[in-house]
Amino acid sequence: YALPIYAFGSCDLYYSMLTNGEWTNPLNMGHKVNSAAWDSQPTLSADGRILMFASRRLGTLGGSDIFMTYRDDKNSWVTPVSLGSPINTVGDDESPFLHADGSTIYFRSNGRPGMGKYDIYYSKKNDTTEQWQTPINIGYPINTSGDEGSFTVSLDGKRAYYSSDAKLGTTNSANHLDIFSFELYDAA
């Protein structure tokens, strides 16, 4: 049978649960999480309690910003809040990935000085203040003069994966986006 599609914006976040070896039908996360704008590129914490995503909703510092919501004591998602500065900029901040340690976020941005249009950055949360530290460019040769993004880390924390349009010397990202991996160095 056809499922009704409920949408609040131009792109919404949905979820599906693995129950008895089967995935449930996707359900819209609702108006508390989704806005009338573009909400996309989610990352879920290892314990399933924190959700970060990119959004173009009202209240961004720039084009797209990274927002966060969490499950309250009734297991309901609370209204998302912007991660603010220093994570978000007047540019586009997107593709968040929250490391399994819960204290390191990776994302791509075109709103800060970098090597290309979009570069990958990471930030660690200060354990005492709970504030995100100034993001660090992950550096060359991961970042190039092209666009990099969609950064993820393997479960064992040893390998990182990302996409790039510049590794083959191309300039047309629509036709030449590739996935690369590398051994994640200790500082990152």
Side-chain angles (χ1 to χ4, degrees):
Y1 69 101
L3 292 173
I5 301 295
Y6 298 100
F8 296 95
S10 64
C11 188
D12 283 352
L13 299 173
Y14 288 75
Y15 72 94
S16 179
M17 304 288 289
L18 183 62
T19 306
N20 298 324
E22 301 281 329
W23 287 101
T24 62
N25 290 322
L27 295 173
N28 190 298
M29 292 189 73
H31 70 281
K32 189 169 269 191
V33 173
N34 290 305
S35 70
W38 176 85
D39 301 301
S40 189
Q41 304 172 342
T43 182
L44 190 62
S45 64
D47 65 2
R49 307 285 310 163
I50 296 171
L51 177 74
M52 292 181 179
F53 59 96
S55 180
R56 294 184 181 274
R57 64 185 59 206
L58 291 176
T60 65
L61 295 176
S64 56
D65 280 357
I66 298 172
F67 283 75
M68 182 192 83
T69 181
Y70 63 91
R71 292 180 193 260
D72 63 15
D73 57 356
K74 295 178 184 170
N75 214 28
S76 296
W77 295 104
V78 302
T79 302
V81 295
S82 170
L83 290 188
S85 180
I87 301 299
N88 294 320
T89 65
V90 296
D92 294 311
D93 304 290
E94 305 175 339
S95 299
F97 176 78
L98 185 60
H99 191 280
D101 68 9
S103 297
T104 308
I105 183 176
Y106 303 88
F107 61 98
R108 78 183 206 150
S109 178
N110 66 5
R112 53 187 85 239
M115 298 173 195
K117 182 177 176 189
Y118 281 99
D119 278 4
I120 297 168
Y121 296 84
Y122 67 93
S123 176
K124 295 185 182 280
K125 190 176 1 174
N126 183 301
D127 293 334
T128 305
T129 66
E130 295 288 310
Q131 298 296 312
W132 293 103
Q133 297 173 349
T134 301
I136 298 169
N137 187 305
I138 203 158
Y140 181 84
I142 288 82
N143 286 326
T144 68
S145 61
D147 290 344
E148 281 74 40
S150 303
F151 191 90
T152 61
V153 177
S154 62
L155 290 176
D156 64 8
K158 294 180 180 178
R159 286 204 77 69
Y161 300 85
Y162 66 102
S163 64
S164 177
D165 69 350
K167 298 296 183 185
L168 300 175
T170 63
T171 57
N172 185 347
S173 63
N175 295 324
H176 298 96
L177 191 63
D178 292 313
I179 297 172
F180 296 88
S181 71
F182 66 98
E183 293 291 324
L184 191 61
Y185 56 92
D186 289 340

